Amino acid sequence: MKKNEDLNQKNLKGISKAIAIISKILEVCMIIGASACLVATIAIPFILKNIKVGETDISYGKIKIAEISKDTLLDNGIDESKFTYIKDFITGNRVFELCAYTFICVVALVGLAFFFHYLYKLFKNISKEDTPFTEENVNLITKLLIALIGYIALPTILAWIAEIIGNIDINYSWGLKDIMLLLVIFASRHIFAYGCSLEKK
């Protein structure tokens, strides 16, 4: 029996270390992604401001990017329909739509970064401690829950606001898998809290 307990604890610590490492990698990826999206949100209006769309050409400052010929084909193969779409994108309401979407991605990725940060700390604790049922781990699971709620709720609210202000359709929404994950973490918190109370007894 003692041998099985030692083996189970060893396996738990090994799996916990692996999850902690993966969580840290994902946290860094989310931070990089959020930073890139934030830069894009700030840069897009300035970049598109210098792009001029004429009746037959697109230019960036004084540099001509593309020119549409009489047979409606550009040298690089873009036809008139694509040219019209690009023109509408640059001169129309789609600039706001793109900036709104990239900013919403920033918020979502920041929420995920916090989620993976707390997940890393939780499994790092589990890999080092004799028991996973501690008050600190219960608090970390609570923070996991808050981070996940933020990841789901904040981008959705921002998308609704952007759609109302800009009269656009961002189509950002959460799904059943997000709700299921939320419920699993919520249940895990109660399981850990119960285990923690048993450890005290």
Side-chain angles (χ1 to χ4, degrees):
M1 186 67 71
K2 177 65 175 175
K3 186 177 180 181
N4 288 337
E5 288 179 1
D6 292 340
L7 180 62
N8 288 334
Q9 189 175 44
K10 184 179 179 181
N11 290 338
L12 176 62
K13 289 183 179 296
I15 294 170
S16 298
K17 285 180 182 178
I19 295 175
I21 292 170
I22 294 170
S23 298
K24 176 56 71 174
I25 293 171
L26 290 173
E27 178 193 348
V28 173
C29 290
M30 295 304 108
I31 292 172
I32 293 172
S35 301
C37 288
L38 182 61
V39 171
T41 304
I42 297 170
I44 285 169
F46 293 100
I47 293 173
L48 295 182
K49 183 180 179 181
N50 293 321
I51 296 179
K52 307 297 180 184
V53 181
E55 291 298 325
T56 59
D57 66 311
I58 303 173
S59 58
Y60 185 81
K62 295 181 180 180
I63 303 171
K64 187 175 289 186
I65 299 174
E67 183 174 356
I68 193 166
S69 60
K70 292 182 180 180
D71 60 357
T72 70
L73 290 174
L74 299 175
D75 294 336
N76 57 4
I78 300 177
D79 58 24
E80 188 174 7
S81 63
K82 292 180 181 177
F83 179 86
T84 304
Y85 177 83
I86 294 170
K87 182 176 180 179
D88 292 341
F89 183 89
I90 295 172
T91 59
N93 198 29
R94 292 185 177 274
V95 175
F96 173 78
E97 181 180 351
L98 185 60
C99 289
Y101 189 80
T102 53
F103 182 73
I104 289 169
C105 287
V106 171
V107 176
L109 290 171
V110 167
L112 284 176
F114 276 107
F115 178 83
F116 287 119
H117 173 70
Y118 294 129
L119 194 66
Y120 161 75
K121 292 184 74 174
L122 174 64
F123 281 96
K124 184 181 178 183
N125 284 351
I126 293 174
S127 69
K128 289 184 176 181
E129 296 168 353
D130 293 331
T131 174
F133 301 114
T134 63
E135 288 287 351
E136 184 180 359
N137 287 347
V138 173
N139 292 333
L140 285 171
I141 294 175
T142 303
K143 291 177 181 179
L144 266 177
L145 197 61
I146 294 170
L148 187 60
I149 292 172
Y151 162 71
I152 294 173
L154 289 179
T156 304
I157 293 170
L158 290 174
W160 288 342
I161 293 172
E163 288 175 359
I164 293 170
I165 294 175
N167 193 25
I168 55 178
D169 184 18
I170 293 181
N171 195 26
Y172 183 94
S173 61
W174 38 267
L176 181 62
K177 66 181 186 301
D178 298 313
I179 300 299
M180 286 300 299
L181 182 58
L182 197 64
L183 292 174
V184 168
I185 294 175
F186 184 72
S188 299
R189 186 197 175 281
H190 286 284
I191 293 170
F192 270 71
Y194 179 67
C196 187
S197 66
L198 290 180
E199 285 284 342
K200 288 180 180 178
K201 291 179 182 179

